[in-house]
Short mmCIF file of all heavy atoms in Angstrom, two decimals:
data_model
loop_
_atom_site.label_atom_id
_atom_site.label_comp_id
_atom_site.label_asym_id
_atom_site.label_seq_id
_atom_site.Cartn_x
_atom_site.Cartn_y
_atom_site.Cartn_z
N PRO A 35 -7.75 8.13 33.61
CA PRO A 35 -9.21 8.10 33.75
C PRO A 35 -9.97 9.06 32.80
O PRO A 35 -11.13 8.79 32.42
CB PRO A 35 -9.46 8.54 35.22
CG PRO A 35 -8.13 8.19 35.94
CD PRO A 35 -7.08 8.43 34.91
N ALA A 36 -9.36 10.11 32.41
CA ALA A 36 -9.95 11.04 31.46
C ALA A 36 -10.24 10.31 30.16
O ALA A 36 -11.22 10.53 29.44
CB ALA A 36 -9.14 12.29 31.20
N HIS A 37 -9.28 9.44 29.75
CA HIS A 37 -9.49 8.66 28.48
C HIS A 37 -10.64 7.69 28.64
O HIS A 37 -11.41 7.48 27.70
CB HIS A 37 -8.20 8.01 28.07
CG HIS A 37 -7.11 8.97 27.71
ND1 HIS A 37 -5.80 8.57 27.50
CD2 HIS A 37 -7.08 10.29 27.54
CE1 HIS A 37 -5.12 9.64 27.18
NE2 HIS A 37 -5.85 10.68 27.19
N ALA A 38 -10.65 7.09 29.85
CA ALA A 38 -11.75 6.16 30.06
C ALA A 38 -13.15 6.90 29.99
O ALA A 38 -14.11 6.38 29.45
CB ALA A 38 -11.66 5.46 31.43
N ASN A 39 -13.16 8.06 30.52
CA ASN A 39 -14.35 8.93 30.51
C ASN A 39 -14.78 9.24 29.07
O ASN A 39 -15.95 9.21 28.76
CB ASN A 39 -13.96 10.26 31.14
CG ASN A 39 -14.94 10.52 32.33
OD1 ASN A 39 -16.12 10.31 32.18
ND2 ASN A 39 -14.33 10.96 33.42
N ALA A 40 -13.82 9.54 28.21
CA ALA A 40 -14.13 9.91 26.80
C ALA A 40 -14.76 8.68 26.17
O ALA A 40 -15.72 8.89 25.35
CB ALA A 40 -12.82 10.33 26.06
N LEU A 41 -14.29 7.54 26.44
CA LEU A 41 -14.85 6.31 25.77
C LEU A 41 -16.22 6.05 26.36
O LEU A 41 -17.15 5.79 25.58
CB LEU A 41 -13.97 5.10 26.00
CG LEU A 41 -14.48 3.73 25.51
CD1 LEU A 41 -15.01 3.83 24.16
CD2 LEU A 41 -13.41 2.68 25.64
N VAL A 42 -16.39 6.16 27.68
CA VAL A 42 -17.62 5.95 28.30
C VAL A 42 -18.71 6.90 27.78
O VAL A 42 -19.90 6.50 27.65
CB VAL A 42 -17.52 6.01 29.85
CG1 VAL A 42 -18.81 6.31 30.52
CG2 VAL A 42 -16.84 4.77 30.45
N ASP A 43 -18.35 8.09 27.44
CA ASP A 43 -19.27 9.03 26.79
C ASP A 43 -19.88 8.51 25.52
O ASP A 43 -20.88 9.01 25.04
CB ASP A 43 -18.55 10.36 26.56
CG ASP A 43 -18.44 11.21 27.84
OD1 ASP A 43 -19.07 10.87 28.83
OD2 ASP A 43 -17.69 12.22 27.79
N HIS A 44 -19.16 7.60 24.84
CA HIS A 44 -19.65 7.02 23.61
C HIS A 44 -20.47 5.74 23.86
O HIS A 44 -20.88 5.07 22.83
CB HIS A 44 -18.49 6.79 22.70
CG HIS A 44 -17.95 8.03 22.09
ND1 HIS A 44 -17.21 8.93 22.70
CD2 HIS A 44 -18.14 8.52 20.72
CE1 HIS A 44 -16.94 9.94 21.89
NE2 HIS A 44 -17.46 9.74 20.70
N LEU A 45 -20.56 5.32 25.11
CA LEU A 45 -21.25 4.12 25.38
C LEU A 45 -22.63 4.31 26.11
O LEU A 45 -22.83 5.44 26.64
CB LEU A 45 -20.34 3.18 26.21
CG LEU A 45 -18.97 2.87 25.59
CD1 LEU A 45 -18.10 2.08 26.60
CD2 LEU A 45 -19.18 2.04 24.32
N TYR A 46 -23.48 3.28 26.17
CA TYR A 46 -24.78 3.50 26.77
C TYR A 46 -24.75 3.67 28.33
O TYR A 46 -25.11 4.62 28.86
CB TYR A 46 -25.69 2.33 26.39
CG TYR A 46 -25.99 2.30 24.98
CD1 TYR A 46 -25.55 1.20 24.19
CD2 TYR A 46 -26.71 3.36 24.37
CE1 TYR A 46 -25.84 1.22 22.85
CE2 TYR A 46 -27.03 3.25 23.00
CZ TYR A 46 -26.59 2.20 22.25
OH TYR A 46 -26.78 2.23 20.93
N ALA A 47 -24.20 2.66 29.01
CA ALA A 47 -24.37 2.66 30.44
C ALA A 47 -23.05 2.21 31.23
O ALA A 47 -23.12 1.92 32.33
CB ALA A 47 -25.46 1.70 30.84
#
Side-chain angles (χ1 to χ4, degrees):
Chain A
H37 293 171
N39 239 317
L41 173 50
V42 159
D43 281 349
H44 284 74
L45 300 173
Y46 293 116

